[in-house]
Amino acid sequence: MNGLSTPHLLGIRDLTREDIELIFSQADHFKQVINQPIKRVPSLRDITIANLFFENSTRTRLSFELAEKRLSADVINFSASTSSVKKGETLVDTVNNILAMKVDMTVMRHASPGAASFLASRVNSVIVNAGDGTHEHPTQALLDAYSIREQLGSIRGKKVAIVGDIRHSRVALSNIWCLKKLGAEVVLCGPTTLIPKHIESLGVRVSHDLRETLAWCDVANMLRIQLERQEVEVPYFPGLREYSSLFGLDRRLLESLSRKIVIMHPGPINRGVEISSDVADHSQSIILQQVENGVAVRMAVIYLLAQGIKRT
Amino acid sequence: MQPLLLMDSRHMSLVIDRLCHQLIENHDRFGQSAIIGLQPRGIYLAQRLVSHLGALLPDTAIRHGILDITFFRDDFRRTSKPLLARDTQINFSVEGLNIILVDDVLYTGRSIRAGMEALLEFGRPNSVELMVFIDRRFSRQLPIEPNYTGQSVDSYNNQKVRVLWKEQDGADKVVLLTGEGAA
């Protein structure tokens, strides 16, 4: 068996189905590692990884950091709010300065779509995209698909609904690429204004009826309304209350369905908006399993990419 | 060059029988002992041992597992092929147990070093012994020696010893490969 077909993880779009399955097979082993008495392996003890977060993050940054530490890598963290970026330094200069400290791999989150790809073409480091604007969030899609595989046994032929703010969601786009590559059927559900035009060209269907969508699907991935990316004069929908009544999932709706579906959420949750508290904590919700799987999947991604780093 | 046959099926059965009796001599009814086969090819010998010991010691449950060493190897980023993990199945604590690590061929000793490190992730055993089916003598790169040996083989570094198992390879035999076959 070969390694990944790409030296970086910039987006799911660049991965083959075989790449994704390889990541999953290795993540299975790492999940076993993180449930052992000693949750660490020594593989990356001569690798240094920089986590560059130009956008706020809690879960993803901690998950990456833990994954790196579980692999025995040396880790340095950087957040834009405390950096020289505020003093006018360019992205490439910032990263090159960090790489001069003998860093082998860079995990980056940035507000600009394409930032990871831009960096990969200009600096000498393995790049892992931890979210670039509204473009992609590949490790989230991988851990989502991995969690579905874990719950349902496989992805092929499964019906997955992605509900909510599709327009501003990098999670949605990466999930669409990932699920389609693995043979799932995907329906996007949300208000017309929050679903990009022509999104059907990616091989997905669009619905504006949550009940109908939930009745159809095996898995519902409930996305957050990204208010921070909606700073426009005319709002995308009248208000959170109306959004919640039309596209929010509560216990009554969930339990009125004729069969049990799996509930997912990439976090952070806005309880009472896209999902009610009792659904978030429901036995059909796998939100916390997603978080655990995130560490294993990120360990697999980093482990596989690190094999391509030349020894100096 | 044609592979040189070092052991046939009958010879292998005799050796497995002898190894099982040696284990019984030292571990009695395996009350505080466990057999752990190293991935990828030590697992077949381990399975044969467990099965044969089951016949020799009826009504005795022998703890056994399989252990992958991939994440503990010392050649990460030093080989052209990626190092990909295989299954580990150890469904018991190794704490305080007498562990018998089992592999098919002992050559440089590096796999066994990685195996011991991987094993310690599961607890602190009372003791660790090493059983190998083939010991390629005079080729060690680390100070590691087996406690139980099926057969010792003297070979050149450009040769390779392959232990073939019926369940995986279609036949039980041990062969010495030279030239292209050893690559």
Side-chain angles (χ1 to χ4, degrees), chain B residues 19 22 100-107 109 112 128-138 140 142-153:
Chain B
L19 291 172
Q22 285 180 305
I100 305 129
L101 276 186
V102 174
D103 207 356
D104 62 342
V105 179
L106 175 60
Y107 179 38
I112 305 303
V128 180
E129 292 181 318
L130 174 62
M131 172 183 285
V132 296
F133 203 68
I134 299 294
D135 176 11
R136 293 181 67 179
R137 295 189 299 180
F138 313 121
R140 219 73 77 231
L142 295 172
I144 284 170
E145 293 302 328
N147 302 86
Y148 311 92
T149 304
Q151 181 162 308
S152 296
V153 171

PDB file of all heavy atoms in Angstrom, chain B residues 19 22 100-107 109 112 128-138 140 142-153:
ATOM      1  N   LEU B  19       8.634 -26.374  20.779  1.00  0.00           N
ATOM      2  CA  LEU B  19       8.531 -25.038  21.387  1.00  0.00           C
ATOM      3  C   LEU B  19       7.399 -24.997  22.422  1.00  0.00           C
ATOM      4  O   LEU B  19       7.544 -24.394  23.482  1.00  0.00           O
ATOM      5  CB  LEU B  19       8.296 -23.976  20.291  1.00  0.00           C
ATOM      6  CG  LEU B  19       9.484 -23.726  19.353  1.00  0.00           C
ATOM      7  CD1 LEU B  19       9.055 -22.805  18.208  1.00  0.00           C
ATOM      8  CD2 LEU B  19      10.677 -23.120  20.089  1.00  0.00           C
ATOM      9  N   GLN B  22       8.563 -26.611  25.568  1.00  0.00           N
ATOM     10  CA  GLN B  22       9.485 -25.713  26.287  1.00  0.00           C
ATOM     11  C   GLN B  22       8.698 -24.637  27.042  1.00  0.00           C
ATOM     12  O   GLN B  22       9.035 -24.274  28.170  1.00  0.00           O
ATOM     13  CB  GLN B  22      10.456 -25.058  25.292  1.00  0.00           C
ATOM     14  CG  GLN B  22      11.548 -26.008  24.811  1.00  0.00           C
ATOM     15  CD  GLN B  22      12.493 -25.333  23.830  1.00  0.00           C
ATOM     16  OE1 GLN B  22      12.067 -24.787  22.825  1.00  0.00           O
ATOM     17  NE2 GLN B  22      13.784 -25.370  24.121  1.00  0.00           N
ATOM     18  N   ILE B 100       5.308 -13.690  26.527  1.00  0.00           N
ATOM     19  CA  ILE B 100       6.163 -14.337  25.530  1.00  0.00           C
ATOM     20  C   ILE B 100       5.906 -13.630  24.204  1.00  0.00           C
ATOM     21  O   ILE B 100       4.829 -13.768  23.615  1.00  0.00           O
ATOM     22  CB  ILE B 100       5.846 -15.845  25.387  1.00  0.00           C
ATOM     23  CG1 ILE B 100       5.955 -16.516  26.755  1.00  0.00           C
ATOM     24  CG2 ILE B 100       6.771 -16.494  24.366  1.00  0.00           C
ATOM     25  CD1 ILE B 100       4.751 -17.346  27.108  1.00  0.00           C
ATOM     26  N   LEU B 101       6.865 -12.826  23.771  1.00  0.00           N
ATOM     27  CA  LEU B 101       6.748 -12.159  22.465  1.00  0.00           C
ATOM     28  C   LEU B 101       7.150 -13.164  21.400  1.00  0.00           C
ATOM     29  O   LEU B 101       8.174 -13.854  21.555  1.00  0.00           O
ATOM     30  CB  LEU B 101       7.695 -10.964  22.384  1.00  0.00           C
ATOM     31  CG  LEU B 101       7.254  -9.615  22.949  1.00  0.00           C
ATOM     32  CD1 LEU B 101       8.312  -8.557  22.621  1.00  0.00           C
ATOM     33  CD2 LEU B 101       5.908  -9.186  22.418  1.00  0.00           C
ATOM     34  N   VAL B 102       6.383 -13.221  20.331  1.00  0.00           N
ATOM     35  CA  VAL B 102       6.615 -14.244  19.313  1.00  0.00           C
ATOM     36  C   VAL B 102       6.796 -13.589  17.948  1.00  0.00           C
ATOM     37  O   VAL B 102       5.978 -12.760  17.539  1.00  0.00           O
ATOM     38  CB  VAL B 102       5.408 -15.216  19.266  1.00  0.00           C
ATOM     39  CG1 VAL B 102       5.557 -16.203  18.126  1.00  0.00           C
ATOM     40  CG2 VAL B 102       5.255 -15.940  20.594  1.00  0.00           C
ATOM     41  N   ASP B 103       7.869 -13.942  17.260  1.00  0.00           N
ATOM     42  CA  ASP B 103       8.056 -13.443  15.891  1.00  0.00           C
ATOM     43  C   ASP B 103       8.582 -14.574  15.024  1.00  0.00           C
ATOM     44  O   ASP B 103       9.068 -15.583  15.540  1.00  0.00           O
ATOM     45  CB  ASP B 103       9.012 -12.243  15.877  1.00  0.00           C
ATOM     46  CG  ASP B 103       8.731 -11.328  14.687  1.00  0.00           C
ATOM     47  OD1 ASP B 103       7.864 -11.660  13.852  1.00  0.00           O
ATOM     48  OD2 ASP B 103       9.390 -10.272  14.581  1.00  0.00           O
ATOM     49  N   ASP B 104       8.476 -14.387  13.704  1.00  0.00           N
ATOM     50  CA  ASP B 104       8.897 -15.495  12.828  1.00  0.00           C
ATOM     51  C   ASP B 104      10.407 -15.525  12.652  1.00  0.00           C
ATOM     52  O   ASP B 104      11.032 -16.566  12.797  1.00  0.00           O
ATOM     53  CB  ASP B 104       8.143 -15.457  11.482  1.00  0.00           C
ATOM     54  CG  ASP B 104       8.399 -14.203  10.668  1.00  0.00           C
ATOM     55  OD1 ASP B 104       8.869 -13.193  11.239  1.00  0.00           O
ATOM     56  OD2 ASP B 104       8.125 -14.220   9.456  1.00  0.00           O
ATOM     57  N   VAL B 105      11.012 -14.368  12.333  1.00  0.00           N
ATOM     58  CA  VAL B 105      12.460 -14.350  12.075  1.00  0.00           C
ATOM     59  C   VAL B 105      13.109 -13.260  12.927  1.00  0.00           C
ATOM     60  O   VAL B 105      12.646 -12.119  12.929  1.00  0.00           O
ATOM     61  CB  VAL B 105      12.755 -14.072  10.579  1.00  0.00           C
ATOM     62  CG1 VAL B 105      14.265 -14.034  10.327  1.00  0.00           C
ATOM     63  CG2 VAL B 105      12.094 -15.133   9.700  1.00  0.00           C
ATOM     64  N   LEU B 106      14.173 -13.609  13.613  1.00  0.00           N
ATOM     65  CA  LEU B 106      14.976 -12.610  14.331  1.00  0.00           C
ATOM     66  C   LEU B 106      16.204 -12.323  13.488  1.00  0.00           C
ATOM     67  O   LEU B 106      16.979 -13.234  13.172  1.00  0.00           O
ATOM     68  CB  LEU B 106      15.390 -13.152  15.708  1.00  0.00           C
ATOM     69  CG  LEU B 106      16.342 -12.267  16.528  1.00  0.00           C
ATOM     70  CD1 LEU B 106      15.729 -10.899  16.809  1.00  0.00           C
ATOM     71  CD2 LEU B 106      16.701 -12.942  17.856  1.00  0.00           C
ATOM     72  N   TYR B 107      16.354 -11.059  13.104  1.00  0.00           N
ATOM     73  CA  TYR B 107      17.475 -10.701  12.219  1.00  0.00           C
ATOM     74  C   TYR B 107      18.316  -9.625  12.920  1.00  0.00           C
ATOM     75  O   TYR B 107      19.196  -9.933  13.709  1.00  0.00           O
ATOM     76  CB  TYR B 107      16.896 -10.246  10.869  1.00  0.00           C
ATOM     77  CG  TYR B 107      17.899  -9.822   9.826  1.00  0.00           C
ATOM     78  CD1 TYR B 107      19.116 -10.476   9.657  1.00  0.00           C
ATOM     79  CD2 TYR B 107      17.608  -8.762   8.961  1.00  0.00           C
ATOM     80  CE1 TYR B 107      20.007 -10.075   8.680  1.00  0.00           C
ATOM     81  CE2 TYR B 107      18.500  -8.362   7.974  1.00  0.00           C
ATOM     82  CZ  TYR B 107      19.690  -9.019   7.844  1.00  0.00           C
ATOM     83  OH  TYR B 107      20.577  -8.612   6.886  1.00  0.00           O
ATOM     84  N   GLY B 109      17.241  -7.415  15.166  1.00  0.00           N
ATOM     85  CA  GLY B 109      16.774  -7.170  16.541  1.00  0.00           C
ATOM     86  C   GLY B 109      15.969  -5.884  16.661  1.00  0.00           C
ATOM     87  O   GLY B 109      15.393  -5.596  17.714  1.00  0.00           O
ATOM     88  N   ILE B 112      12.188  -6.337  17.383  1.00  0.00           N
ATOM     89  CA  ILE B 112      11.925  -6.783  18.757  1.00  0.00           C
ATOM     90  C   ILE B 112      12.054  -5.606  19.726  1.00  0.00           C
ATOM     91  O   ILE B 112      11.253  -5.453  20.652  1.00  0.00           O
ATOM     92  CB  ILE B 112      12.893  -7.916  19.150  1.00  0.00           C
ATOM     93  CG1 ILE B 112      12.812  -9.066  18.144  1.00  0.00           C
ATOM     94  CG2 ILE B 112      12.613  -8.404  20.577  1.00  0.00           C
ATOM     95  CD1 ILE B 112      11.424  -9.656  17.976  1.00  0.00           C
ATOM     96  N   VAL B 128       9.493 -10.392  30.181  1.00  0.00           N
ATOM     97  CA  VAL B 128       9.254 -10.523  28.744  1.00  0.00           C
ATOM     98  C   VAL B 128      10.271 -11.512  28.195  1.00  0.00           C
ATOM     99  O   VAL B 128      11.478 -11.346  28.399  1.00  0.00           O
ATOM    100  CB  VAL B 128       9.392  -9.176  28.000  1.00  0.00           C
ATOM    101  CG1 VAL B 128       9.126  -9.359  26.501  1.00  0.00           C
ATOM    102  CG2 VAL B 128       8.433  -8.134  28.570  1.00  0.00           C
ATOM    103  N   GLU B 129       9.770 -12.544  27.544  1.00  0.00           N
ATOM    104  CA  GLU B 129      10.641 -13.495  26.863  1.00  0.00           C
ATOM    105  C   GLU B 129      10.418 -13.373  25.358  1.00  0.00           C
ATOM    106  O   GLU B 129       9.390 -12.868  24.920  1.00  0.00           O
ATOM    107  CB  GLU B 129      10.324 -14.926  27.296  1.00  0.00           C
ATOM    108  CG  GLU B 129      10.677 -15.218  28.741  1.00  0.00           C
ATOM    109  CD  GLU B 129      10.375 -16.660  29.132  1.00  0.00           C
ATOM    110  OE1 GLU B 129       9.301 -17.177  28.725  1.00  0.00           O
ATOM    111  OE2 GLU B 129      11.186 -17.262  29.828  1.00  0.00           O
ATOM    112  N   LEU B 130      11.391 -13.884  24.613  1.00  0.00           N
ATOM    113  CA  LEU B 130      11.294 -13.804  23.154  1.00  0.00           C
ATOM    114  C   LEU B 130      11.370 -15.200  22.554  1.00  0.00           C
ATOM    115  O   LEU B 130      12.299 -15.961  22.863  1.00  0.00           O
ATOM    116  CB  LEU B 130      12.426 -12.933  22.594  1.00  0.00           C
ATOM    117  CG  LEU B 130      12.521 -12.878  21.068  1.00  0.00           C
ATOM    118  CD1 LEU B 130      11.267 -12.276  20.446  1.00  0.00           C
ATOM    119  CD2 LEU B 130      13.751 -12.064  20.643  1.00  0.00           C
ATOM    120  N   MET B 131      10.391 -15.500  21.732  1.00  0.00           N
ATOM    121  CA  MET B 131      10.439 -16.750  20.967  1.00  0.00           C
ATOM    122  C   MET B 131      10.464 -16.412  19.483  1.00  0.00           C
ATOM    123  O   MET B 131       9.639 -15.623  19.013  1.00  0.00           O
ATOM    124  CB  MET B 131       9.223 -17.626  21.249  1.00  0.00           C
ATOM    125  CG  MET B 131       9.169 -18.841  20.324  1.00  0.00           C
ATOM    126  SD  MET B 131       7.700 -19.835  20.570  1.00  0.00           S
ATOM    127  CE  MET B 131       8.129 -20.653  22.090  1.00  0.00           C
ATOM    128  N   VAL B 132      11.417 -17.002  18.759  1.00  0.00           N
ATOM    129  CA  VAL B 132      11.437 -16.813  17.301  1.00  0.00           C
ATOM    130  C   VAL B 132      11.512 -18.177  16.628  1.00  0.00           C
ATOM    131  O   VAL B 132      12.085 -19.124  17.180  1.00  0.00           O
ATOM    132  CB  VAL B 132      12.620 -15.926  16.842  1.00  0.00           C
ATOM    133  CG1 VAL B 132      12.475 -14.524  17.400  1.00  0.00           C
ATOM    134  CG2 VAL B 132      13.957 -16.526  17.202  1.00  0.00           C
ATOM    135  N   PHE B 133      10.919 -18.244  15.457  1.00  0.00           N
ATOM    136  CA  PHE B 133      10.960 -19.511  14.734  1.00  0.00           C
ATOM    137  C   PHE B 133      12.329 -19.698  14.094  1.00  0.00           C
ATOM    138  O   PHE B 133      12.890 -20.785  14.106  1.00  0.00           O
ATOM    139  CB  PHE B 133       9.848 -19.542  13.680  1.00  0.00           C
ATOM    140  CG  PHE B 133       9.455 -20.932  13.298  1.00  0.00           C
ATOM    141  CD1 PHE B 133       8.817 -21.758  14.213  1.00  0.00           C
ATOM    142  CD2 PHE B 133       9.715 -21.427  12.033  1.00  0.00           C
ATOM    143  CE1 PHE B 133       8.462 -23.053  13.884  1.00  0.00           C
ATOM    144  CE2 PHE B 133       9.362 -22.728  11.690  1.00  0.00           C
ATOM    145  CZ  PHE B 133       8.732 -23.546  12.621  1.00  0.00           C
ATOM    146  N   ILE B 134      12.863 -18.603  13.534  1.00  0.00           N
ATOM    147  CA  ILE B 134      14.187 -18.653  12.906  1.00  0.00           C
ATOM    148  C   ILE B 134      15.061 -17.564  13.524  1.00  0.00           C
ATOM    149  O   ILE B 134      14.658 -16.402  13.588  1.00  0.00           O
ATOM    150  CB  ILE B 134      14.092 -18.398  11.381  1.00  0.00           C
ATOM    151  CG1 ILE B 134      13.230 -19.462  10.701  1.00  0.00           C
ATOM    152  CG2 ILE B 134      15.484 -18.325  10.757  1.00  0.00           C
ATOM    153  CD1 ILE B 134      13.800 -20.860  10.714  1.00  0.00           C
ATOM    154  N   ASP B 135      16.234 -17.940  13.955  1.00  0.00           N
ATOM    155  CA  ASP B 135      17.206 -16.968  14.457  1.00  0.00           C
ATOM    156  C   ASP B 135      18.338 -16.864  13.431  1.00  0.00           C
ATOM    157  O   ASP B 135      19.098 -17.814  13.241  1.00  0.00           O
ATOM    158  CB  ASP B 135      17.760 -17.441  15.814  1.00  0.00           C
ATOM    159  CG  ASP B 135      18.860 -16.516  16.328  1.00  0.00           C
ATOM    160  OD1 ASP B 135      19.038 -15.424  15.753  1.00  0.00           O
ATOM    161  OD2 ASP B 135      19.537 -16.904  17.309  1.00  0.00           O
ATOM    162  N   ARG B 136      18.397 -15.732  12.756  1.00  0.00           N
ATOM    163  CA  ARG B 136      19.521 -15.507  11.821  1.00  0.00           C
ATOM    164  C   ARG B 136      20.706 -15.012  12.659  1.00  0.00           C
ATOM    165  O   ARG B 136      20.821 -13.825  12.937  1.00  0.00           O
ATOM    166  CB  ARG B 136      19.136 -14.481  10.753  1.00  0.00           C
ATOM    167  CG  ARG B 136      18.066 -14.979   9.808  1.00  0.00           C
ATOM    168  CD  ARG B 136      17.744 -13.949   8.754  1.00  0.00           C
ATOM    169  NE  ARG B 136      18.861 -13.722   7.830  1.00  0.00           N
ATOM    170  CZ  ARG B 136      18.806 -12.881   6.805  1.00  0.00           C
ATOM    171  NH1 ARG B 136      17.709 -12.179   6.592  1.00  0.00           N
ATOM    172  NH2 ARG B 136      19.844 -12.738   6.008  1.00  0.00           N
ATOM    173  N   ARG B 137      21.562 -15.935  13.003  1.00  0.00           N
ATOM    174  CA  ARG B 137      22.645 -15.604  13.936  1.00  0.00           C
ATOM    175  C   ARG B 137      23.655 -14.651  13.292  1.00  0.00           C
ATOM    176  O   ARG B 137      23.741 -14.528  12.093  1.00  0.00           O
ATOM    177  CB  ARG B 137      23.366 -16.885  14.359  1.00  0.00           C
ATOM    178  CG  ARG B 137      22.471 -17.827  15.147  1.00  0.00           C
ATOM    179  CD  ARG B 137      23.276 -18.959  15.714  1.00  0.00           C
ATOM    180  NE  ARG B 137      23.912 -19.763  14.680  1.00  0.00           N
ATOM    181  CZ  ARG B 137      24.673 -20.818  14.930  1.00  0.00           C
ATOM    182  NH1 ARG B 137      24.909 -21.183  16.173  1.00  0.00           N
ATOM    183  NH2 ARG B 137      25.213 -21.517  13.938  1.00  0.00           N
ATOM    184  N   PHE B 138      24.436 -14.033  14.103  1.00  0.00           N
ATOM    185  CA  PHE B 138      25.563 -13.175  13.701  1.00  0.00           C
ATOM    186  C   PHE B 138      25.117 -11.973  12.850  1.00  0.00           C
ATOM    187  O   PHE B 138      25.891 -11.464  12.057  1.00  0.00           O
ATOM    188  CB  PHE B 138      26.630 -13.989  12.928  1.00  0.00           C
ATOM    189  CG  PHE B 138      26.974 -15.282  13.604  1.00  0.00           C
ATOM    190  CD1 PHE B 138      26.806 -16.499  12.956  1.00  0.00           C
ATOM    191  CD2 PHE B 138      27.449 -15.293  14.906  1.00  0.00           C
ATOM    192  CE1 PHE B 138      27.117 -17.689  13.580  1.00  0.00           C
ATOM    193  CE2 PHE B 138      27.754 -16.493  15.547  1.00  0.00           C
ATOM    194  CZ  PHE B 138      27.582 -17.694  14.884  1.00  0.00           C
ATOM    195  N   ARG B 140      22.952  -9.433  14.334  1.00  0.00           N
ATOM    196  CA  ARG B 140      22.255  -8.533  15.249  1.00  0.00           C
ATOM    197  C   ARG B 140      22.856  -7.128  15.222  1.00  0.00           C
ATOM    198  O   ARG B 140      24.076  -6.963  15.155  1.00  0.00           O
ATOM    199  CB  ARG B 140      22.322  -9.086  16.676  1.00  0.00           C
ATOM    200  CG  ARG B 140      21.036  -8.886  17.411  1.00  0.00           C
ATOM    201  CD  ARG B 140      19.886  -9.787  16.975  1.00  0.00           C
ATOM    202  NE  ARG B 140      20.036 -11.124  17.510  1.00  0.00           N
ATOM    203  CZ  ARG B 140      19.974 -12.223  16.758  1.00  0.00           C
ATOM    204  NH1 ARG B 140      19.754 -12.138  15.458  1.00  0.00           N
ATOM    205  NH2 ARG B 140      20.124 -13.412  17.285  1.00  0.00           N
ATOM    206  N   LEU B 142      21.390  -4.941  17.556  1.00  0.00           N
ATOM    207  CA  LEU B 142      21.059  -4.545  18.925  1.00  0.00           C
ATOM    208  C   LEU B 142      21.268  -5.758  19.835  1.00  0.00           C
ATOM    209  O   LEU B 142      21.187  -6.909  19.374  1.00  0.00           O
ATOM    210  CB  LEU B 142      19.591  -4.084  19.013  1.00  0.00           C
ATOM    211  CG  LEU B 142      19.216  -2.822  18.225  1.00  0.00           C
ATOM    212  CD1 LEU B 142      17.702  -2.609  18.256  1.00  0.00           C
ATOM    213  CD2 LEU B 142      19.911  -1.595  18.783  1.00  0.00           C
ATOM    214  N   PRO B 143      21.540  -5.523  21.123  1.00  0.00           N
ATOM    215  CA  PRO B 143      21.826  -6.650  22.017  1.00  0.00           C
ATOM    216  C   PRO B 143      20.558  -7.397  22.431  1.00  0.00           C
ATOM    217  O   PRO B 143      20.078  -7.255  23.548  1.00  0.00           O
ATOM    218  CB  PRO B 143      22.499  -5.966  23.217  1.00  0.00           C
ATOM    219  CG  PRO B 143      21.928  -4.592  23.238  1.00  0.00           C
ATOM    220  CD  PRO B 143      21.666  -4.223  21.813  1.00  0.00           C
ATOM    221  N   ILE B 144      20.003  -8.161  21.488  1.00  0.00           N
ATOM    222  CA  ILE B 144      18.748  -8.887  21.733  1.00  0.00           C
ATOM    223  C   ILE B 144      18.942 -10.343  21.344  1.00  0.00           C
ATOM    224  O   ILE B 144      19.440 -10.635  20.246  1.00  0.00           O
ATOM    225  CB  ILE B 144      17.603  -8.245  20.914  1.00  0.00           C
ATOM    226  CG1 ILE B 144      17.171  -6.938  21.594  1.00  0.00           C
ATOM    227  CG2 ILE B 144      16.419  -9.191  20.752  1.00  0.00           C
ATOM    228  CD1 ILE B 144      16.233  -6.087  20.816  1.00  0.00           C
ATOM    229  N   GLU B 145      18.593 -11.245  22.231  1.00  0.00           N
ATOM    230  CA  GLU B 145      18.724 -12.681  21.944  1.00  0.00           C
ATOM    231  C   GLU B 145      17.434 -13.396  22.332  1.00  0.00           C
ATOM    232  O   GLU B 145      16.773 -13.004  23.293  1.00  0.00           O
ATOM    233  CB  GLU B 145      19.895 -13.286  22.730  1.00  0.00           C
ATOM    234  CG  GLU B 145      21.265 -12.786  22.295  1.00  0.00           C
ATOM    235  CD  GLU B 145      21.568 -13.050  20.822  1.00  0.00           C
ATOM    236  OE1 GLU B 145      21.096 -14.072  20.278  1.00  0.00           O
ATOM    237  OE2 GLU B 145      22.239 -12.207  20.206  1.00  0.00           O
ATOM    238  N   PRO B 146      17.077 -14.448  21.606  1.00  0.00           N
ATOM    239  CA  PRO B 146      15.829 -15.144  21.917  1.00  0.00           C
ATOM    240  C   PRO B 146      15.964 -16.098  23.103  1.00  0.00           C
ATOM    241  O   PRO B 146      17.047 -16.614  23.377  1.00  0.00           O
ATOM    242  CB  PRO B 146      15.550 -15.935  20.636  1.00  0.00           C
ATOM    243  CG  PRO B 146      16.883 -16.151  20.023  1.00  0.00           C
ATOM    244  CD  PRO B 146      17.743 -14.984  20.405  1.00  0.00           C
ATOM    245  N   ASN B 147      14.849 -16.325  23.797  1.00  0.00           N
ATOM    246  CA  ASN B 147      14.797 -17.346  24.855  1.00  0.00           C
ATOM    247  C   ASN B 147      14.436 -18.705  24.283  1.00  0.00           C
ATOM    248  O   ASN B 147      14.789 -19.734  24.843  1.00  0.00           O
ATOM    249  CB  ASN B 147      13.742 -16.968  25.902  1.00  0.00           C
ATOM    250  CG  ASN B 147      14.014 -15.614  26.523  1.00  0.00           C
ATOM    251  OD1 ASN B 147      13.604 -14.585  25.994  1.00  0.00           O
ATOM    252  ND2 ASN B 147      14.736 -15.602  27.632  1.00  0.00           N
ATOM    253  N   TYR B 148      13.680 -18.695  23.199  1.00  0.00           N
ATOM    254  CA  TYR B 148      13.255 -19.942  22.551  1.00  0.00           C
ATOM    255  C   TYR B 148      13.492 -19.776  21.049  1.00  0.00           C
ATOM    256  O   TYR B 148      13.070 -18.770  20.465  1.00  0.00           O
ATOM    257  CB  TYR B 148      11.771 -20.224  22.772  1.00  0.00           C
ATOM    258  CG  TYR B 148      11.310 -20.117  24.205  1.00  0.00           C
ATOM    259  CD1 TYR B 148      10.809 -18.920  24.701  1.00  0.00           C
ATOM    260  CD2 TYR B 148      11.353 -21.221  25.067  1.00  0.00           C
ATOM    261  CE1 TYR B 148      10.373 -18.809  26.009  1.00  0.00           C
ATOM    262  CE2 TYR B 148      10.916 -21.120  26.384  1.00  0.00           C
ATOM    263  CZ  TYR B 148      10.432 -19.912  26.851  1.00  0.00           C
ATOM    264  OH  TYR B 148       9.994 -19.810  28.139  1.00  0.00           O
ATOM    265  N   THR B 149      14.133 -20.771  20.452  1.00  0.00           N
ATOM    266  CA  THR B 149      14.438 -20.683  19.019  1.00  0.00           C
ATOM    267  C   THR B 149      13.969 -21.951  18.319  1.00  0.00           C
ATOM    268  O   THR B 149      14.266 -23.060  18.786  1.00  0.00           O
ATOM    269  CB  THR B 149      15.966 -20.534  18.813  1.00  0.00           C
ATOM    270  OG1 THR B 149      16.403 -19.390  19.542  1.00  0.00           O
ATOM    271  CG2 THR B 149      16.308 -20.354  17.337  1.00  0.00           C
ATOM    272  N   GLY B 150      13.264 -21.747  17.197  1.00  0.00           N
ATOM    273  CA  GLY B 150      12.877 -22.903  16.393  1.00  0.00           C
ATOM    274  C   GLY B 150      14.092 -23.505  15.723  1.00  0.00           C
ATOM    275  O   GLY B 150      14.411 -24.673  15.890  1.00  0.00           O
ATOM    276  N   GLN B 151      14.787 -22.692  14.985  1.00  0.00           N
ATOM    277  CA  GLN B 151      16.018 -23.137  14.331  1.00  0.00           C
ATOM    278  C   GLN B 151      16.923 -21.941  14.090  1.00  0.00           C
ATOM    279  O   GLN B 151      16.448 -20.856  13.742  1.00  0.00           O
ATOM    280  CB  GLN B 151      15.698 -23.816  12.994  1.00  0.00           C
ATOM    281  CG  GLN B 151      16.960 -24.327  12.294  1.00  0.00           C
ATOM    282  CD  GLN B 151      16.643 -25.361  11.230  1.00  0.00           C
ATOM    283  OE1 GLN B 151      15.942 -26.336  11.504  1.00  0.00           O
ATOM    284  NE2 GLN B 151      17.150 -25.148  10.031  1.00  0.00           N
ATOM    285  N   SER B 152      18.231 -22.145  14.261  1.00  0.00           N
ATOM    286  CA  SER B 152      19.196 -21.093  13.949  1.00  0.00           C
ATOM    287  C   SER B 152      19.649 -21.255  12.505  1.00  0.00           C
ATOM    288  O   SER B 152      19.849 -22.373  12.025  1.00  0.00           O
ATOM    289  CB  SER B 152      20.408 -21.189  14.880  1.00  0.00           C
ATOM    290  OG  SER B 152      19.991 -20.952  16.199  1.00  0.00           O
ATOM    291  N   VAL B 153      19.807 -20.123  11.850  1.00  0.00           N
ATOM    292  CA  VAL B 153      20.235 -20.146  10.449  1.00  0.00           C
ATOM    293  C   VAL B 153      21.379 -19.153  10.293  1.00  0.00           C
ATOM    294  O   VAL B 153      21.295 -18.029  10.771  1.00  0.00           O
ATOM    295  CB  VAL B 153      19.060 -19.733   9.522  1.00  0.00           C
ATOM    296  CG1 VAL B 153      19.528 -19.540   8.089  1.00  0.00           C
ATOM    297  CG2 VAL B 153      17.941 -20.762   9.589  1.00  0.00           C
TER     298      VAL B 153
END
